[in-house]
């Protein structure tokens, strides 16, 4: 029996299924979570299926969360999508159900759960959920297709990132055959408020770039207050430095309410997730997140990025 078949059997065995994803969600987190919820609901209408977590205002156009009580977890199947490790799971009640399944595409450094399916070759958790549906011959709806398509588009950077495979494009093509407003999804994902445009201008004006193309910028609490943006809203400018042809790798340091920095790390070619792991984080080889708790650690992260790029250039010359 394959892992997909086992997951399907567990869904059939449980009357209540509760689906979690990671904190501070992106389109793939919401798309895979609620896409899976609606997929199960459609194919097993007799079951109670719930999605839990914080309602992210910037993504409410995709979906909203359900109200989930503690009693709902009694004898429930819990599935966590798009979440590499347990500290990042939104809603800490995930461990109070009857059985726990992890479905993810990040490196499996924390193989939690009674069962896990992790495919690091997949572009996104949404691609995994779609593949699960097709492999298990489950019927999709337009609403399911819209969510999973949005998740794939979000995590592939509109099919620009290296994780975009022929399988990714094949699944996206299959989802695109359903009746949902493709143009509206694209517009929602490619647009942002005027204040974000102004913040993006600040980022370009204040990038620190070394001679090897390693860049960084700081978004302090004062800066975010000035532009009236939240931590979640700053996600819209994470890819901006990468549009500069001379930049290879970059870090965006976002100050949190308690004073520490959430560090968003991105790279075009040089692997940076090991650096993230050194600083209370992790993620994909070219897209990771870390945390910094001092000015010294901020400088250390930047220096490690510079060293990684320098080493990569040295190796490529040999």
């Amino acid at each position: 029996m394959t892992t997909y078949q086992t997951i399907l059997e567990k869904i059939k065995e449980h009357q209540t299924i509760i689906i979690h994803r990671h904190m501070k969600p992106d389109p793939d987190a919401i798309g895979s979570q609620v896409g899976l919820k609606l997929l199960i609901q459609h194919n097993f209408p007799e079951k109670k299926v719930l999605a839990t977590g914080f309602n992210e205002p910037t993504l409410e156009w995709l979906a909203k969360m359900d109200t989930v009580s503690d009693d709902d977890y009694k004898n429930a199947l819990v599935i966590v999508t798009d979440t590499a490790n347990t500290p990042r799971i939104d809603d800490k009640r995930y461990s109070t159900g009857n059985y726990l399944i992890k479905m993810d595409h990040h490196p499996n450094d924390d193989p939690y759960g009674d069962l896990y399916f992790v495919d690091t070759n997949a572009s996104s958790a949404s691609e995994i959920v779609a593949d699960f549906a097709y492999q298990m011959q489950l019927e999709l709806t337009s609403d399911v297709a819209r969510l999973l398509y949005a998740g794939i588009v979000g995590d592939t950077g509109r099919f620009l990132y290296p994780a975009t495979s022929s399988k990714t494009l094949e699944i996206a093509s299959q989802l695109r055959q359903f009746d949902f407003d493709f143009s509206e999804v694209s517009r929602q994902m490619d647009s942002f408020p005027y204040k974000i445009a102004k913040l993006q201008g600040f980022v370009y004006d204040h990038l620190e770039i070394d001679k090897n193309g390693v860049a960084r910028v700081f978004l302090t609490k004062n800066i975010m207050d000035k532009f009236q943006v939240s931590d979640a809203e700053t996600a819209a400018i994470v890819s901006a430095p990468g549009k500069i042809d001379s930049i290879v790798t970059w870090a965006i340091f976002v100050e949190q309410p308690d004073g520490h920095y959430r560090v968003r790390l991105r790279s075009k070619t040089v692997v940076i997730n090991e650096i993230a792991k050194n600083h209370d984080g992790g993620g994909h080889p070219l897209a990771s997140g870390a945390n910094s708790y001092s000015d010294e650690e901020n400088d250390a992260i930047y220096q490690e990025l510079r060293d990684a790029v320098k080493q990569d250039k040295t190796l490529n010359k040999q």
Side-chain angles (χ1 to χ4, degrees), residues 27-178:
D28 185 36
I30 300 292
S32 60
Q33 178 194 29
V34 184
L36 180 58
K37 169 197 164 180
L38 297 183
L39 177 72
I40 297 172
Q41 279 183 330
H42 179 70
N43 287 273
F44 304 97
E46 75 282 0
K47 296 185 182 296
K48 183 177 185 179
V49 192
L50 302 166
T52 185
F54 171 73
N55 260 318
E56 171 51 54
T58 62
L59 292 174
E60 287 188 351
W61 62 271
L62 262 181
K64 293 184 180 180
M65 299 296 103
D66 299 309
T67 300
V68 183
S69 71
D70 291 347
D71 287 342
D72 288 324
Y73 285 87
K74 185 178 181 180
N75 298 319
L77 170 65
V78 178
I79 303 175
V80 182
T81 67
D82 196 36
T83 312
N85 50 57
T86 53
R88 293 204 68 210
I89 300 175
D90 195 347
D91 193 333
K92 298 308 177 185
R93 297 176 295 175
Y94 70 88
S95 61
T96 62
N98 179 60
Y99 195 90
L100 178 63
I101 296 174
K102 172 185 182 181
M103 297 180 72
D104 189 33
H105 67 122
H106 298 91
N108 196 25
D109 296 324
D110 183 3
Y112 62 84
D114 300 296
L115 175 71
Y116 58 83
F117 180 88
V118 175
D119 182 3
T120 56
N121 292 318
S123 69
S124 55
S126 294
E127 179 181 323
I128 290 172
V129 172
D131 187 52
F132 166 71
Y134 287 123
Q135 293 292 333
M136 294 296 99
Q137 299 182 331
L138 298 174
E139 186 175 75
L140 283 78
T141 66
S142 295
D143 288 337
V144 172
R146 169 183 171 270
L147 285 158
L148 298 180
Y149 183 85
I152 292 171
V153 170
D155 254 28
T156 60
R158 294 144 184 82
F159 307 108
L160 292 175
Y161 298 158
T164 306
S165 66
S166 59
K167 182 176 181 179
T168 305
L169 295 173
E170 180 182 0
I171 287 177
S173 175
Q174 291 173 314
L175 296 172
R176 183 65 186 85
Q177 294 175 35
F178 286 84

